[in-house]
Amino acid sequence: MASTMHLTLVLLCLVVSHAHGSSRVLRWSDDSDASPSTTSCPSITSALSDYSGHASVKYVPLVTNPTGPNFYYVDLVAIAINGKDLLPFPPALFRGNGTMIDSQSAFTYLNKPIYAALREEFRKAMAQYPPAPAFSDLDTCYNFTLTEYIYLPNITFRFGNGETMDLDDRQFMYFFREHLIDGFPFGCLAFAAAPDENFPRNFIGTQVQRTKEIVYDVRGGKVAFVPSRCGLR
Ligand SMILES: *[C@@H]1O[C@H](CO)[C@@H](O)[C@H](O)[C@H]1NC(C)=O
Ligand SMILES: *[C@@H]1O[C@H](CO)[C@@H](O)[C@H](O)[C@H]1NC(C)=O
Ligand SMILES: *[C@@H]1O[C@H](CO)[C@@H](O)[C@H](O)[C@H]1NC(C)=O
């Protein structure tokens, strides 16, 4: 996006587990100095670049978009919350003018009606948490004061070739230990409405790349989002 966001992520250390039959659960923790585990992280120059035989490498095609031929686009056709696609968006409508992988913005920006539908479903799933004022471009925020466990819905991206990407909480939530104004712990859905109504397309921001290794096979015309083998959160 044109309005590049330079936000520093002040992240809480959150402990994740999967609740039985429900979505993901986070627990606040004060252990903010804990560093990510790197024990299983292969060296950059050798194994990391070899994705052959890596079972969870699921490629989606890079598509060329006439309105931005120098950018990487993917064929995102749906977003599902807890396994159900947002309605009423058949793939053709969902695509709009395409979905760009945008390395300049932290957050993900969706065509306005698509974002509105996502927000509505997300709010239903998060109804038990008190809302918090908007933060930056993010208008779906929660006040997690006194909240020990946070139950988040599952969010999945579906692509035109049938592949899916289940988003980790780090990919779709933006957590802050202290709200800049009143100093309370909060978190926001790290998605917002694309600002330019005259040019509706979706932008996948860099936060959606967290916890994943992004494999660009440009010659092969494809990209993969591989769950990090380094335990990076
Ligand atoms: C959310 O995803 C987890 C892990 O894949 C799964 O066990 C759980 O059933 C899903 N929950 C819902 C409500 O879809
Ligand atoms: C693509 O963008 C143009 C404006 O540039 C708009 O008129 C058109 O409706 C958009 N197409 C879709 C499918 O959203
Ligand atoms: C956040 O929640 C706490 C505890 O309920 C409350 O005292 C505080 O006023 C809330 N802040 C905002 C901005 O809603």
Side-chain angles (χ1 to χ4, degrees):
M1 331 232 43
S3 60
T4 308
M5 232 163 304
H6 297 286
L7 293 172
T8 312
L9 291 178
V10 179
L11 291 155
L12 292 164
C13 183
L14 296 167
V15 182
V16 186
S17 63
H18 287 279
H20 177 71
S22 134
S23 29
R24 59 201 73 231
V25 188
L26 304 179
R27 185 165 69 79
W28 296 109
S29 153
D30 288 326
D31 188 12
S32 53
D33 293 331
S35 48
S37 148
T38 51
T39 44
S40 59
C41 197
S43 97
I44 296 287
T45 48
S46 58
L48 201 57
S49 57
D50 180 9
Y51 287 89
S52 53
H54 192 285
S56 51
V57 177
K58 300 189 283 187
Y59 286 98
V60 302
L62 284 169
V63 291
T64 307
N65 190 300
T67 62
N70 298 328
F71 296 99
Y72 293 140
Y73 279 78
V74 288
D75 189 26
L76 183 67
V77 295
I79 294 178
I81 289 213
N82 286 334
K84 275 166 52 186
D85 285 358
L86 298 175
L87 297 173
F89 299 104
L93 189 59
F94 189 95
R95 280 185 187 108
N97 284 299
T99 300
M100 183 196 285
I101 301 179
D102 185 0
S103 55
Q104 285 190 30
S105 68
F107 305 135
T108 291
Y109 295 82
L110 300 171
N111 287 347
K112 235 174 183 169
I114 296 173
Y115 176 67
L118 173 67
R119 181 175 59 190
E120 190 182 322
E121 287 306 313
F122 190 80
R123 281 183 177 163
K124 279 185 205 159
M126 298 288 283
Q128 62 179 302
Y129 304 106
F135 175 81
S136 182
D137 287 348
L138 309 179
D139 66 1
T140 308
C141 302
Y142 297 91
N143 179 348
F144 292 126
T145 308
L146 306 175
T147 305
E148 192 183 358
Y149 293 94
I150 305 170
Y151 295 81
L152 294 168
N154 293 336
I155 300 186
T156 304
F157 279 3
R158 292 207 298 106
F159 298 93
N161 68 338
E163 291 296 358
T164 57
M165 170 163 61
D166 293 326
L167 301 191
D168 189 271
D169 54 277
R170 293 292 196 189
Q171 292 176 281
F172 69 81
M173 286 299 287
Y174 182 77
F175 288 109
F176 238 75
R177 183 180 290 278
E178 284 188 19
H179 193 274
L180 300 179
I181 300 164
D182 340 39
F184 61 92
F186 75 106
C188 305
L189 177 64
F191 287 56
D196 190 350
E197 291 175 54
N198 296 319
F199 193 62
R201 54 180 164 183
N202 305 309
F203 300 86
I204 296 182
T206 53
Q207 189 165 339
V208 162
Q209 300 175 25
R210 296 191 65 176
T211 75
K212 298 287 189 288
E213 295 167 28
I214 314 295
V215 188
Y216 287 98
D217 178 354
V218 176
R219 204 162 289 169
K222 55 190 182 175
V223 62
F225 303 89
V226 187
S228 171
R229 289 168 289 169
C230 308
L232 295 177
R233 298 267 300 138

